Amino acid sequence: MTQAQNPFNVVFVLFDNVTQLNFTGPAQFLCRMPGAKVHVAAASLDPVMTDVGFGIMPTVTFEDCPQSDLLCVPGGLGVAPALSDIQLIDFVGQQASDAQWITSVCTGAFILGQAGLLQGRRATTHWGFTSLLPMVGAVHEDARTVFDGNIVTAGGVTSGIDFALTIVAHLHGEDVARSLQLNFEYDPAPPFAGGTPATSPQHIVQAMQSRFYDDRAAEMEKALRG
């Protein structure tokens, strides 16, 4: 009689005002990875509010969470206040100490950094915040997904899906990753070119920075200095 293999524990860390797609994008793909079991961890089992106004139900608390094989920290508007959440930062650090893979999506990289995990590492984050990566000891690499040893960081929001497929290919081979890509019909064909500052009209980049990202980056910088 063969013994059942232990699951490959994928742990997502949630906090208030998380960007749901940073979490749900990679979660949708990683949950179908062979042997994977997804855990959604938060300080309590109360709904965690997203930055679009609906809640996500955690499946485990920080206290009860199993050891992750792959730890993932998404980003969102709640990252700046989360940087001073000692319980959350300690949980990330403790989980990371024995995780095979330590990962982030978007501004979740700064939570990894606050836990001391990006010192001297190549990393990426959302384009509006890349200039702040040196504040957590990281060296910015301009890529959608950056591997540095067992630390994997993904850029803004939708890049979490690319990160998930890349991890699946690394662990189980390209055919498995391609099968999941086909299963979810992930074949991006956006109506406009311009999902990065380099491919967007400069007046749109400047407008986004002045309307939103300058203030958000200043808030993040203040939190990092605090």
Side-chain angles (χ1 to χ4, degrees):
M1 187 178 196
T2 46
Q3 288 185 327
Q5 288 187 333
N6 291 329
F8 184 87
N9 289 318
V10 177
V11 174
F12 286 91
V13 183
L14 295 193
F15 46 86
D16 279 336
N17 270 332
V18 67
T19 294
Q20 62 85 20
L21 189 54
N22 285 342
F23 155 60
T24 56
Q28 187 68 65
F29 285 79
L30 292 175
C31 77
R32 301 291 179 90
M33 183 169 64
K37 182 174 177 58
V38 170
H39 306 273
V40 183
S44 75
L45 294 179
D46 294 333
V48 175
M49 296 307 295
T50 67
D51 61 10
V52 292
F54 61 80
I56 295 173
M57 295 295 295
T59 60
V60 291
T61 66
F62 293 158
E63 184 178 348
D64 297 329
C65 186
Q67 173 59 49
S68 59
D69 294 296
L70 187 151
L71 177 69
C72 185
V73 184
L77 295 178
V79 166
L83 293 174
S84 61
D85 184 336
I86 295 172
Q87 183 184 16
L88 183 145
I89 301 300
D90 285 350
F91 173 77
V92 169
Q94 290 162 9
Q95 284 282 326
S97 64
D98 286 320
Q100 294 178 34
W101 295 96
I102 302 159
T103 74
S104 66
V105 179
C106 198
T107 51
F110 293 102
I111 292 178
L112 295 186
Q114 190 78 337
L117 300 168
L118 293 186
Q119 285 293 327
R121 300 280 193 162
R122 292 175 292 106
T124 192
T125 187
H126 187 285
W127 65 266
F129 302 87
T130 54
S131 65
L132 301 180
L133 283 171
M135 294 186 69
V136 292
V139 178
H140 175 232
E141 182 171 310
D142 186 14
R144 198 156 166 85
T145 303
V146 175
F147 279 69
D148 189 332
N150 70 331
I151 304 241
V152 187
T153 51
V157 194
T158 59
S159 61
I161 295 174
D162 295 8
F163 137 72
L165 284 168
T166 305
I167 282 283
V168 172
H170 188 89
L171 293 175
H172 297 282
E174 188 173 304
D175 281 357
V176 174
R178 283 180 173 274
S179 296
L180 290 177
Q181 184 172 355
L182 175 61
N183 181 63
F184 293 115
E185 203 170 347
Y186 180 55
D187 186 25
F192 312 106
T196 70
T199 57
S200 298
Q202 280 306 296
H203 73 278
I204 292 179
V205 176
Q206 291 165 4
M208 286 296 295
Q209 284 180 316
S210 62
R211 285 204 315 252
F212 188 78
Y213 288 109
D214 286 345
D215 288 346
R216 296 291 77 75
E219 179 187 17
M220 187 78 78
E221 182 175 1
K222 182 178 179 181
L224 289 167
R225 293 189 187 283

